[in-house]
Amino acid sequence: MPAIVGAFKVNAVGTSGVVHVGDCITISPYAEVKTFAGAGSFNTGDGLRVYNQNSITNTYDNDVIDQPVAGNL
């Protein structure tokens, strides 16, 4: 359904972000990322107490391809 859109300002768009105004059938952003994080890295909340005495993050990856995204373009 068509719409009338007034003026708007885009401050920033991330590397895999999409800005769309108007009619569209499909929007398919493309991105891939591999994240390594140590113990307690993604904890959220109020009053957390995380005790990690000896924490080691193993970043060795011998299989090279984890999840192919070649067909997602």
Side-chain angles (χ1 to χ4, degrees):
M1 183 171 160
I4 298 173
V5 178
F8 66 95
K9 179 181 177 182
V10 177
N11 290 326
V13 178
T15 57
S16 65
V18 174
V19 176
H20 174 76
V21 178
D23 296 337
C24 179
I25 294 175
T26 303
I27 296 178
S28 181
Y30 170 79
E32 58 186 84
V33 64
K34 183 180 254 183
T35 303
F36 296 104
S41 296
F42 298 114
N43 291 328
T44 58
D46 296 329
L48 287 174
R49 294 181 184 162
V50 179
Y51 301 100
N52 297 314
Q53 299 300 320
N54 296 320
S55 176
I56 297 173
T57 301
N58 184 6
T59 59
Y60 175 71
D61 187 13
N62 61 353
D63 61 353
V64 181
I65 298 173
D66 293 321
Q67 183 175 355
V69 292
N72 294 339
L73 295 176

